[in-house]
């Protein structure tokens, strides 16, 4: 498979999932009479990023091997306002009869050491390509707007790890992660109070 075919197949998989996420968003909006999914973004891991990750994992940097060893070559991020929405969206995705849950990582219940929070679902997505069924692996990240803001900032810091003072900034950023978790809890309580009026 050449590079163009690979990207075309990835676009197809993302299109299939985009439709599912859109329908889930509409169902939840109808159920709660409010917008639940704020934003959906998609990406295909670049060759440079694949190479770097394979090296970090001490694996031979070959694309054929990467397709079997890496679960995040195709990624979708779903951003919503409230923590309970994160879990409801995940539940609805896991209930899709044609999707297969491969792995679930709950970095909200148990954040990474850096303070990173998000719910990750590794899912198998069946698609018909060239008249045959194939299952493609996709990483779906679901998080709140506050978690997403923190994550984008932390990602930018990763590129400045060798800068003087980066460790100190990393520790400070971890503290902000705890504040964001607290804010998410407070906003959920406030929403529940509003709903009860």
């Amino acid at each position: 498979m050449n590079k163009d075919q690979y990207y075309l197949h990835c676009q197809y998989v993302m299109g299939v999932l985009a439709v599912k996420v859109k329908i889930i968003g509409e169902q939840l909006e109808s159920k709660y009479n409010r917008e639940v999914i704020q934003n959906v973004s998609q990406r295909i891991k670049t060759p440079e990023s694949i190479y770097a990750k394979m090296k970090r994992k001490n694996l031979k940097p070959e694309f054929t091997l990467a397709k079997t060893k890496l679960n995040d070559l195709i990624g979708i991020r779903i951003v919503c306002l409230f923590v309970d929405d994160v879990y409801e969206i995940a539940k609805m995705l896991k209930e899709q009869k044609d999707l297969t849950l491969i792995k679930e990582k709950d970095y909200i219940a148990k954040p990474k050491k850096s303070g990173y929070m998000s719910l990750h679902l590794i899912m198998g997505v069946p698609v018909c390509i060239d008249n045959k069924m194939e299952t493609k692996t996709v990483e779906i990240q679901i998080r709140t707007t506050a978690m997403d803001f923190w994550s984008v900032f932390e990602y930018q810091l990763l590129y400045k790890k060798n800068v003087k003072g980066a460790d100190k900034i990393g520790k400070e950023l971890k503290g902000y992660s705890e504040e964001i978790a607290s804010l998410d809890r407070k906003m959920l309580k406030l929403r529940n109070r509003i709903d009860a009026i």
Side-chain angles (χ1 to χ4, degrees):
M1 182 190 305
N2 65 35
K3 187 179 173 184
D4 289 341
Q5 284 176 314
Y6 171 71
Y7 277 102
L8 193 63
H9 290 183
C10 290
Q11 292 286 350
Y12 180 26
V13 173
M14 290 191 303
V16 168
L17 269 178
V19 170
K20 288 183 175 294
V21 171
K22 185 175 187 298
I23 291 168
I24 287 170
E26 288 169 356
Q27 288 172 332
L28 291 174
E29 190 171 335
S30 175
K31 180 178 177 180
Y32 295 117
N33 200 28
R34 62 178 171 84
E35 188 178 25
V36 173
I37 296 175
Q38 301 295 302
N39 185 38
V40 179
S41 57
Q42 305 169 333
R43 66 110 186 93
I44 301 167
K45 214 169 191 64
T46 64
E48 296 79 19
S49 184
I50 293 169
Y51 179 84
K53 189 161 187 179
M54 293 293 279
K55 292 296 265 185
R56 275 197 315 275
K57 288 178 168 278
N58 293 317
L59 295 168
K60 211 171 181 180
E62 294 176 348
F63 183 62
T64 310
L65 186 61
K67 286 197 291 184
T68 61
K69 295 291 183 182
L70 302 183
N71 291 321
D72 64 344
L73 297 180
I74 304 169
I76 292 185
R77 182 175 300 140
I78 304 167
V79 179
C80 51
L81 285 179
F82 303 103
V83 175
D84 60 345
D85 292 336
V86 169
Y87 290 103
E88 188 158 11
I89 292 164
K91 180 177 174 282
M92 291 176 80
L93 281 165
K94 290 185 283 186
E95 287 171 349
Q96 301 287 309
K97 300 292 184 203
D98 56 337
L99 301 183
T100 307
L101 179 67
I102 297 167
K103 193 188 289 186
E104 182 171 350
K105 296 178 187 175
D106 190 344
Y107 297 119
I108 298 171
K110 193 172 180 185
K112 288 188 178 182
K113 284 182 183 178
S114 65
Y116 173 87
M117 291 180 292
S118 185
L119 181 67
H120 290 197
L121 302 177
I122 307 299
M123 302 203 83
V125 182
V127 287
C128 185
I129 296 170
D130 300 328
N131 291 324
K132 57 184 180 185
M133 290 301 293
E134 290 182 28
T135 299
K136 300 289 185 184
T137 306
V138 179
E139 181 185 68
I140 304 170
Q141 300 176 352
I142 316 168
R143 60 178 70 143
T144 66
T145 305
M147 291 172 196
D148 193 53
F149 172 73
W150 185 96
S151 175
V152 170
F153 194 85
E154 192 248 0
Y155 185 76
Q156 289 174 1
L157 180 66
L158 284 176
Y159 287 100
K160 299 190 176 180
K161 281 276 189 207
N162 297 325
V163 174
K164 189 178 174 183
D167 286 345
K168 189 177 176 184
I169 292 168
K171 285 177 186 170
E172 188 175 343
L173 191 58
K174 185 173 187 221
Y176 294 150
S177 169
E178 291 159 11
E179 288 181 35
I180 280 172
S182 173
L183 178 64
D184 269 337
R185 286 191 295 271
K186 288 175 184 174
M187 295 301 282
L188 180 57
K189 281 181 185 174
L190 183 60
R191 188 208 72 199
N192 289 340
R193 277 171 53 201
I194 292 166
D195 288 348
I197 294 171

